Short mmCIF file of all heavy atoms in Angstrom, two decimals:
data_model
loop_
_atom_site.label_atom_id
_atom_site.label_comp_id
_atom_site.label_asym_id
_atom_site.label_seq_id
_atom_site.Cartn_x
_atom_site.Cartn_y
_atom_site.Cartn_z
N LYS S 80 -12.17 -10.83 -11.09
CA LYS S 80 -12.06 -11.03 -12.54
C LYS S 80 -10.62 -10.70 -12.96
O LYS S 80 -10.06 -11.41 -13.90
CB LYS S 80 -13.05 -10.11 -13.33
CG LYS S 80 -14.47 -10.43 -13.03
CD LYS S 80 -15.38 -9.53 -13.82
CE LYS S 80 -16.85 -9.88 -13.58
NZ LYS S 80 -17.82 -8.98 -14.28
N THR S 81 -9.95 -9.70 -12.43
CA THR S 81 -8.70 -9.28 -12.92
C THR S 81 -7.55 -9.68 -11.97
O THR S 81 -6.35 -9.76 -12.39
CB THR S 81 -8.59 -7.80 -13.12
OG1 THR S 81 -8.69 -7.14 -11.88
CG2 THR S 81 -9.78 -7.30 -14.01
N GLY S 82 -7.85 -9.94 -10.73
CA GLY S 82 -6.82 -10.22 -9.71
C GLY S 82 -6.14 -8.97 -9.15
O GLY S 82 -5.25 -9.08 -8.31
N ALA S 83 -6.56 -7.83 -9.67
CA ALA S 83 -5.98 -6.59 -9.16
C ALA S 83 -6.60 -6.21 -7.85
O ALA S 83 -7.70 -6.64 -7.47
CB ALA S 83 -6.24 -5.48 -10.15
N PHE S 84 -6.00 -5.36 -7.01
CA PHE S 84 -6.47 -4.91 -5.70
C PHE S 84 -7.42 -3.71 -5.97
O PHE S 84 -7.09 -2.72 -6.53
CB PHE S 84 -5.39 -4.43 -4.83
CG PHE S 84 -4.41 -5.57 -4.44
CD1 PHE S 84 -3.07 -5.32 -4.17
CD2 PHE S 84 -4.86 -6.86 -4.29
CE1 PHE S 84 -2.16 -6.30 -3.79
CE2 PHE S 84 -3.97 -7.88 -3.97
CZ PHE S 84 -2.65 -7.60 -3.64
N ASN S 85 -8.66 -3.94 -5.45
CA ASN S 85 -9.63 -2.77 -5.46
C ASN S 85 -9.19 -1.77 -4.38
O ASN S 85 -9.27 -0.57 -4.64
CB ASN S 85 -11.00 -3.22 -5.16
CG ASN S 85 -11.52 -4.16 -6.29
OD1 ASN S 85 -11.18 -3.93 -7.49
ND2 ASN S 85 -12.32 -5.12 -5.89
N TRP S 86 -8.73 -2.24 -3.25
CA TRP S 86 -8.21 -1.36 -2.13
C TRP S 86 -7.41 -2.16 -1.17
O TRP S 86 -7.42 -3.35 -1.15
CB TRP S 86 -9.35 -0.65 -1.45
CG TRP S 86 -10.52 -1.41 -0.91
CD1 TRP S 86 -11.79 -1.50 -1.52
CD2 TRP S 86 -10.57 -2.30 0.22
NE1 TRP S 86 -12.60 -2.23 -0.77
CE2 TRP S 86 -11.92 -2.76 0.34
CE3 TRP S 86 -9.65 -2.60 1.22
CZ2 TRP S 86 -12.28 -3.63 1.35
CZ3 TRP S 86 -10.06 -3.51 2.23
CH2 TRP S 86 -11.41 -3.98 2.25
N GLN S 87 -6.69 -1.41 -0.38
CA GLN S 87 -5.78 -1.96 0.73
C GLN S 87 -6.16 -1.24 1.96
O GLN S 87 -6.22 -0.02 2.02
CB GLN S 87 -4.33 -1.84 0.33
CG GLN S 87 -3.40 -2.29 1.49
CD GLN S 87 -1.98 -2.09 1.16
OE1 GLN S 87 -1.56 -2.10 -0.01
NE2 GLN S 87 -1.17 -1.84 2.20
N LEU S 88 -6.37 -2.07 3.03
CA LEU S 88 -6.71 -1.43 4.30
C LEU S 88 -5.51 -1.75 5.27
O LEU S 88 -5.26 -2.92 5.58
CB LEU S 88 -8.00 -1.99 4.86
CG LEU S 88 -8.67 -1.19 6.05
CD1 LEU S 88 -10.15 -1.61 6.13
CD2 LEU S 88 -8.00 -1.45 7.37
N GLY S 89 -4.81 -0.70 5.71
CA GLY S 89 -3.69 -0.92 6.59
C GLY S 89 -2.40 -1.10 5.83
O GLY S 89 -2.32 -1.09 4.59
N GLY S 90 -1.27 -1.35 6.55
CA GLY S 90 -0.02 -1.57 5.89
C GLY S 90 0.61 -0.23 5.41
O GLY S 90 0.04 0.90 5.61
N PRO S 91 1.74 -0.25 4.79
CA PRO S 91 2.42 1.08 4.43
C PRO S 91 1.81 1.83 3.29
O PRO S 91 2.12 2.91 3.11
CB PRO S 91 3.81 0.50 4.03
CG PRO S 91 3.60 -0.91 3.56
CD PRO S 91 2.54 -1.47 4.44
N HIS S 92 0.89 1.22 2.51
CA HIS S 92 0.27 1.88 1.40
C HIS S 92 -1.22 1.81 1.44
O HIS S 92 -1.95 1.51 0.44
CB HIS S 92 0.80 1.34 0.08
CG HIS S 92 2.33 1.40 -0.06
ND1 HIS S 92 3.06 2.56 -0.17
CD2 HIS S 92 3.18 0.32 -0.01
CE1 HIS S 92 4.30 2.25 -0.24
NE2 HIS S 92 4.47 0.94 -0.10
N SER S 93 -1.78 2.06 2.60
CA SER S 93 -3.26 1.93 2.82
C SER S 93 -4.06 2.88 1.98
O SER S 93 -3.78 4.04 1.87
CB SER S 93 -3.59 2.09 4.31
OG SER S 93 -4.97 1.96 4.53
N THR S 94 -5.12 2.32 1.32
CA THR S 94 -6.06 3.14 0.59
C THR S 94 -6.80 4.00 1.57
O THR S 94 -7.28 5.15 1.21
CB THR S 94 -7.05 2.32 -0.18
OG1 THR S 94 -6.29 1.37 -0.97
CG2 THR S 94 -7.99 3.10 -1.07
N PHE S 95 -7.04 3.53 2.79
CA PHE S 95 -7.81 4.29 3.80
C PHE S 95 -6.91 4.92 4.83
O PHE S 95 -5.86 4.37 5.17
CB PHE S 95 -8.75 3.32 4.54
CG PHE S 95 -9.70 2.61 3.68
CD1 PHE S 95 -9.33 1.47 2.96
CD2 PHE S 95 -10.95 3.12 3.46
CE1 PHE S 95 -10.27 0.77 2.15
CE2 PHE S 95 -11.91 2.46 2.69
CZ PHE S 95 -11.56 1.30 2.01
N LYS S 96 -7.30 6.06 5.32
CA LYS S 96 -6.68 6.67 6.47
C LYS S 96 -7.17 5.90 7.70
O LYS S 96 -8.32 5.85 8.04
CB LYS S 96 -7.01 8.14 6.59
CG LYS S 96 -6.32 8.84 7.81
CD LYS S 96 -6.68 10.35 7.85
CE LYS S 96 -5.98 10.99 9.06
NZ LYS S 96 -6.36 12.41 9.19
N VAL S 97 -6.27 5.28 8.39
CA VAL S 97 -6.61 4.43 9.58
C VAL S 97 -6.99 5.25 10.75
O VAL S 97 -6.14 6.14 11.13
CB VAL S 97 -5.57 3.36 9.85
CG1 VAL S 97 -5.45 2.34 8.74
CG2 VAL S 97 -4.25 4.05 10.13
N GLY S 98 -8.08 5.03 11.34
CA GLY S 98 -8.43 5.77 12.57
C GLY S 98 -7.85 5.15 13.78
O GLY S 98 -7.20 4.04 13.72
N ARG S 99 -8.14 5.75 14.94
CA ARG S 99 -7.52 5.30 16.19
C ARG S 99 -8.01 3.86 16.47
O ARG S 99 -9.22 3.58 16.45
CB ARG S 99 -7.94 6.25 17.28
CG ARG S 99 -7.31 5.90 18.65
CD ARG S 99 -7.67 6.97 19.65
NE ARG S 99 -7.06 6.65 20.99
CZ ARG S 99 -7.18 7.36 22.05
NH1 ARG S 99 -7.90 8.51 22.03
NH2 ARG S 99 -6.67 7.01 23.21
N GLY S 100 -7.09 2.94 16.83
CA GLY S 100 -7.44 1.63 17.25
C GLY S 100 -7.73 0.69 16.10
O GLY S 100 -8.15 -0.47 16.41
N THR S 101 -7.58 1.15 14.82
CA THR S 101 -7.95 0.30 13.74
C THR S 101 -6.75 -0.43 13.10
O THR S 101 -6.93 -1.36 12.24
CB THR S 101 -8.64 1.11 12.59
OG1 THR S 101 -7.73 2.07 12.11
CG2 THR S 101 -9.83 1.84 13.14
N ARG S 102 -5.59 -0.09 13.46
CA ARG S 102 -4.39 -0.73 12.93
C ARG S 102 -4.20 -2.12 13.46
O ARG S 102 -4.33 -2.33 14.67
CB ARG S 102 -3.08 0.08 13.20
CG ARG S 102 -1.96 -0.31 12.31
CD ARG S 102 -0.78 0.62 12.48
NE ARG S 102 0.37 0.17 11.64
CZ ARG S 102 1.57 0.76 11.72
NH1 ARG S 102 1.78 1.77 12.50
NH2 ARG S 102 2.55 0.29 10.92
N THR S 103 -3.92 -3.15 12.60
CA THR S 103 -3.75 -4.45 13.06
C THR S 103 -2.37 -4.99 12.57
O THR S 103 -1.80 -4.48 11.63
CB THR S 103 -4.87 -5.42 12.39
OG1 THR S 103 -4.76 -5.33 10.96
CG2 THR S 103 -6.24 -4.98 12.89
N PHE S 104 -1.87 -6.00 13.39
CA PHE S 104 -0.57 -6.51 13.09
C PHE S 104 -0.66 -8.08 12.98
O PHE S 104 -1.10 -8.71 13.88
CB PHE S 104 0.43 -6.10 14.16
CG PHE S 104 0.55 -4.65 14.32
CD1 PHE S 104 -0.20 -3.93 15.21
CD2 PHE S 104 1.52 -3.95 13.58
CE1 PHE S 104 -0.05 -2.57 15.34
CE2 PHE S 104 1.71 -2.66 13.79
CZ PHE S 104 0.95 -1.89 14.66
N PHE S 105 -0.18 -8.59 11.82
CA PHE S 105 -0.08 -10.03 11.58
C PHE S 105 -1.40 -10.72 11.80
O PHE S 105 -1.50 -11.85 12.28
CB PHE S 105 0.98 -10.59 12.54
CG PHE S 105 2.28 -9.81 12.66
CD1 PHE S 105 2.58 -9.20 13.81
CD2 PHE S 105 3.05 -9.55 11.55
CE1 PHE S 105 3.75 -8.40 14.01
CE2 PHE S 105 4.22 -8.81 11.66
CZ PHE S 105 4.51 -8.14 12.84
#
């Protein structure tokens, strides 16, 4: 509805603390 981000997973400002093996690239 708004176009805003509810959350971000990964990257430099991740909403979530990434666990082992969960980081992805490109």
Side-chain angles (χ1 to χ4, degrees):
K80 295 180 179 179
T81 67
F84 295 150
N85 294 325
W86 50 256
Q87 174 183 331
L88 197 162
H92 305 290
S93 180
T94 307
F95 299 85
K96 181 180 179 181
V97 293
R99 184 176 180 180
T101 63
R102 193 173 180 186
T103 60
F104 298 91
F105 319 115

